[in-house]
Amino acid sequence: NKIVNERDIPKGFESMTLDQKASFLQGMYTANGCVVKGHRVSYKTTSPSLALHLIDILGEYFDIDSNITINKPKLVEFNNGKYICAESYDVCINKIEDIVKFAENINFYYSYKKEELEQLIISKTPFVRSIENNGIRKLYDFTEPLVHWGIVEGRIAHNCAEEPLPAGGS
């Protein structure tokens, strides 16, 4: 019988497929994870080894960068009395690119948490704040099949790498 602060990822995790690992983590985050509105995705545990292992797993299998915030023990007042809350650890996913990877690969099971995650992504996504007129410029697009460059208005220009892509392609 392990006590709560000694919990860790089960040994069988390593032999799971990537989809099974993602599903397992989705269950963990749905149970003990949250979206800190406007800031990050967070997973709370009282187990320091679980927090460290989770950071390794997120990085190794899903290329998600995360860090730990340590919450010291403190006296907290609830409706039914005052209790000492044990030291806990938050595994935090802070950067927008990592939050998007989390949404694409792991996510939450519950709809309301998925919606909170969607709102977080929208709030953290960079957007155009202003557009300034920079004048009109001539633009030349050409292809030179042998040497892949040419002289346009006295300047050396290389072939453009434009290519037709399917809808939504980048």
Side-chain angles (χ1 to χ4, degrees):
N1 258 350
K2 287 188 171 191
I3 58 174
V4 176
N5 63 357
E6 292 178 358
R7 289 186 181 164
D8 203 349
I9 303 290
K11 288 181 176 46
F13 183 86
E14 294 303 321
S15 62
M16 292 178 183
T17 66
L18 189 60
D19 284 343
Q20 290 170 329
K21 286 177 172 119
S23 293
F24 182 85
L25 293 176
Q26 184 182 68
M28 286 179 61
Y29 270 89
T30 298
N32 292 326
C34 68
V35 173
V36 178
K37 198 170 191 160
H39 296 285
R40 65 186 167 277
V41 173
S42 183
Y43 180 85
K44 185 173 287 299
T45 180
T46 56
S47 170
S49 61
L50 175 58
L52 292 170
H53 199 172
L54 184 54
I55 284 177
D56 291 342
I57 288 168
L58 291 170
E60 181 179 345
Y61 295 106
F62 301 98
D63 193 31
I64 296 172
D65 187 34
S66 58
N67 65 340
I68 295 177
T69 300
I70 301 171
N71 307 298
K72 295 293 180 191
K74 62 182 176 182
L75 187 64
V76 178
E77 187 169 349
F78 294 94
N79 291 340
N80 61 350
K82 292 181 181 181
Y83 298 91
I84 294 179
C85 289
E87 182 169 278
S88 64
Y89 308 87
D90 294 339
V91 175
C92 302
I93 302 170
N94 300 293
K95 294 184 280 189
I96 182 63
E97 57 268 19
D98 295 310
I99 293 168
V100 169
K101 288 177 198 173
F102 175 85
E104 291 171 345
N105 295 291
I106 298 167
N107 215 317
F108 295 101
Y109 179 78
Y110 292 133
S111 298
Y112 79 94
K113 286 189 176 189
K114 285 182 180 182
E115 289 167 13
E116 289 173 354
L117 180 57
E118 238 176 77
Q119 289 305 309
L120 176 64
I121 291 170
I122 290 168
S123 74
K124 289 186 76 97
T125 299
F127 59 93
V128 176
R129 295 186 190 270
S130 67
I131 298 173
E132 294 180 19
N133 186 344
N134 199 15
I136 297 174
R137 307 256 193 246
K138 289 181 183 178
L139 175 67
Y140 298 94
D141 187 7
F142 74 99
T143 299
E144 201 296 316
L146 297 176
V147 294
H148 307 289
W149 63 272
I151 298 177
V152 178
E153 288 195 350
R155 294 189 173 91
I156 296 174
H158 292 272
N159 287 358
C160 289
E162 294 174 4
E163 155 185 358
L165 296 173
S170 59

